[in-house]
Amino acid sequence: MKKAIHFILSALALLFLFPVIETFFLSFYSNGGFTLKAWRELFFDCFIFYPMFWNSVLYSSVITAGSLFIIVPGAFGLIMVKKKISKWIFFLYLVLMMMPLQVTLLPNYIGLRDLHLLDTGMCIILPMLFSVFGTVLMHQYMENMEISQIEAARLETNSVFRVLLHIVMPQMKSCIYAVSFFTFIESYNMLEQPMLFLKNKRLQNLTVFIADADQYTGDILFPASVIFIVPVLLFYLLLHESLQQNVCKLTGGCL
Amino acid sequence: MSVNRKLRWEQKCIFCILPGFLGTAVFALIPFFRMIYYAFVRSQFRREFVFFRNFIRVWENDYFRLALKNSIFLLLRDVPVLMLTAVTLSILLHFFFKKDAWVKAAFILPMVIPTAGIVPVWKTIFGDLTGTLPVDLLFLWKNIGICMILMTAALEKIPDSVYDAAKTDGAGFIKTQLFITIPMTAPALFFGTLLSVMNSYKIFKESFLYYGTSYPPDYAYTLQYYMNNHFLKLDYQSLAASSIYNTLLSLLLILTGLRLTKKFQYTE
C-alpha cells in the first residue's frame, strides 16, 4: 500500500516537472534530431527579442530593488504606529492585494494618464513599485520581531534609518529574500500592463513577445522560453527553503 | 525617554508609512474614485449624470454576460478540483513521505515558472484539443503549489498525540483525516480556497497566452477578455461600469472568505 502511494506520488511529481523539462528538450529538437537551429534563429535573426528580453530584466530588477525601499519602512511603520489607522491601512492593503487585475487595471490606467506617464517605461514600473503584496508579507513577518531589541537601540539613537539598518534588516533577511523573489516573478510575468499601457513595441517585455508568437516562426519560441525560465529557476533553487517558510508566515497572519 | 522624544519617534514612523500609502493613493485609490465618476456620466465629452444607464448597458451586453458566466463556471469547476487535489496530495505527503523533499518541490515549482515560458510547450502538448481543459490544467498546475504550502504548514501544527489518541480509540486512517485533519486545518482550507478563487479570476494571462488572441472561442471568453477589448476601444464608461461590477463581486468574495477563515480559527 505504502509503496503504491509512493509510486503514484513520484509519478505525479514527474508529470508536474514534465512541461519544464519538455521545454528544454524541444529547444534542441527539430525534425527528429538534435539541432541548434532554433537557438541560432533566435540569437541571429530575431532582433526584437533582445530589447524585449532586456526590458523584462530591467523592469523587474528596478521594481524589485526599488520596492524594498517602500516595503521595509512601510511595514515597519505600520507595526510601530500603534493606532487604529495602521490597522485600517493594513486591512486596505490586504484587500487590495487580493483584488484581481480586472479591478485595479482601469484605476492604474487613469492615474497614469493623468500624470502623463502612459507609453513610457515608468507606467510599468511605478504602479508595481507600490504594489501592496510585499508590505503585507513583510508586516506579517515583523509581527514576531524582537521589540526589546528595538527599544534597546532607541536608547542609543533616535534615527529610524539606523534602527532599520542595524536592527530590523538583519532580522528580516530571509523575509527580504522571499519578498524580493515574489516581486521579481510577479513583475517578470507582467502581461496586461505592458500590453495596455504601452504602444511602443520596443518598450514591451518578453511576455508580450510570446503572446505575439504567431508573428514569428514557431521554432524560436522554445529557446525563448528557456531563456525566460532559467533566471527564475536559478533563484528558486537557491531560495526555495526560505520561500516556503515565508509563505506560511504570510498566511499565518491572515488566518 | 522624554515625552518629546517619544512623540518625534512616532512621527518618524508615520513618515515611514507615507511613501507606500501615497503611491497606493495616487495609482489606485484616487483613480478608483474617478472611475466611479466615469461610470455615472454619459461620455468623456458629455459629462452629464446618467444614473445607472452605463451599468444597465453593460449588464445587457451579450459578451459581458457570456464573460461573467464563463468566469463563474471556471471558478466553480476549477477551484473544488484544485482544493481536493491539493488536500489529498498534502495529506499523503505529510503522513507517508516526509523525507522526499523533491516531490514537494516538484509540486511547488510551477508556481514560480513565468506563464509565458510554459505556454509554448503547453500548446504543443495539447495541440488542437478544443474545450477548456488545457487552461483548466494550466490553472491546476500553477496553483497547486501555494495550496500545498498552506496545507502542509497547517498539518505540521497538529500534534501527533491527537492522532495517537484517536488510533487507540480504534479510528482508521480515513476517519482520522475526516474528523481530525479537516476540522483542524479549516482556516488554511478557507484561506487556500479564497486565494484560489481570486487566482481563478486572474487566469486571463494563461488563457490569453494560450489562445494568443483577443477573441478566443466562446467557451474561453472570460471577464478579463471583455475588459481588455474595451480597453482597446477606450470606452471608459463600459470599462468603469464593468470594473465596478468586478469590484463588488471581488469584495464580496474576499470579505466572506476572510470572515470564514477567522471564524474557523482553531484555538487551543
Side-chain angles (χ1 to χ4, degrees), chain B:
Chain B
M1 231 171 289
S2 69
V3 179
N4 194 7
R5 232 184 126 188
K6 205 165 184 176
L7 205 72
R8 273 194 22 228
W9 171 261
E10 185 127 280
Q11 282 169 350
K12 282 184 187 170
C13 288
I14 292 176
F15 194 72
C16 283
I17 308 178
L18 274 182
F21 186 74
L22 284 181
T24 313
V26 170
F27 292 108
L29 297 181
I30 297 169
F32 184 80
F33 289 107
R34 285 192 72 111
M35 181 179 88
I36 295 178
Y37 165 72
Y38 286 158
F40 287 99
V41 297
R42 184 183 297 277
S43 78
Q44 285 312 94
F45 311 105
R46 289 178 57 198
R47 300 199 166 182
E48 56 195 272
F49 186 67
V50 291
F51 295 97
F52 291 102
R53 199 174 294 168
N54 292 318
F55 290 90
I56 295 166
R57 190 161 52 99
V58 168
W59 185 253
E60 283 173 347
N61 182 301
D62 286 339
Y63 275 99
F64 180 77
R65 289 198 176 184
L66 176 72
L68 187 67
K69 195 189 84 192
N70 282 337
S71 289
I72 291 175
F73 275 6
L74 185 108
L75 188 159
L76 293 177
R77 184 175 65 228
D78 286 2
V79 174
V81 175
L82 171 71
M83 288 311 289
L84 219 63
T85 323
V87 168
T88 317
L89 286 177
S90 315
I91 289 178
L92 289 179
L93 275 178
H94 181 74
F95 286 100
F96 295 106
F97 308 107
K98 260 188 190 155
K99 282 180 204 128
D100 283 322
W102 79 270
V103 176
K104 199 176 151 205
F107 288 120
I108 294 170
L109 179 72
M111 184 179 128
V112 303
I113 299 287
T115 317
I118 210 67
V119 159
V121 86
W122 219 262
K123 279 188 186 165
T124 52
I125 294 173
F126 292 100
D128 32 39
L129 193 68
T130 54
T132 53
L133 189 69
V135 175
D136 292 336
L137 286 177
L138 194 51
F139 173 75
L140 184 76
W141 187 76
K142 251 195 107 66
N143 288 295
I144 204 160
I146 182 84
C147 296
M148 283 180 70
I149 291 178
L150 281 175
M151 193 61 198
T152 318
L155 279 169
E156 274 164 6
K157 275 192 204 144
I158 307 177
D160 288 337
S161 56
V162 183
Y163 290 103
D164 293 339
K167 250 181 219 155
T168 44
D169 288 343
F173 181 71
I174 306 233
K175 225 172 185 178
T176 53
Q177 294 313 313
L178 283 180
F179 294 107
I180 298 174
T181 309
I182 302 296
M184 284 180 99
T185 53
L189 284 175
F190 278 116
F191 193 71
T193 313
L194 171 60
L195 274 187
S196 311
V197 167
M198 293 334 282
N199 283 338
S200 86
Y201 224 59
K202 291 178 187 168
I203 196 79
F204 169 75
K205 193 182 318 212
E206 286 75 9
S207 174
F208 184 82
L209 287 167
Y210 185 80
Y211 292 106
T213 162
S214 301
Y215 296 95
D218 271 1
Y219 53 77
Y221 191 87
T222 50
L223 278 172
Q224 184 61 37
Y225 279 105
Y226 177 85
M227 298 282 294
N228 231 50
N229 295 342
H230 277 79
F231 245 108
L232 300 177
K233 292 181 208 152
L234 278 185
D235 175 358
Y236 283 101
Q237 274 59 47
S238 302
L239 268 175
S242 49
S243 274
I244 288 170
Y245 278 132
N246 277 322
T247 313
L248 293 176
L249 186 60
S250 310
L251 268 181
L252 181 78
L253 291 170
I254 293 172
L255 296 181
T256 324
L258 286 177
R259 234 209 145 95
L260 282 174
T261 308
K262 270 234 161 71
K263 202 171 160 189
F264 281 84
Q265 182 89 58
Y266 160 75
T267 42
E268 309 235 355

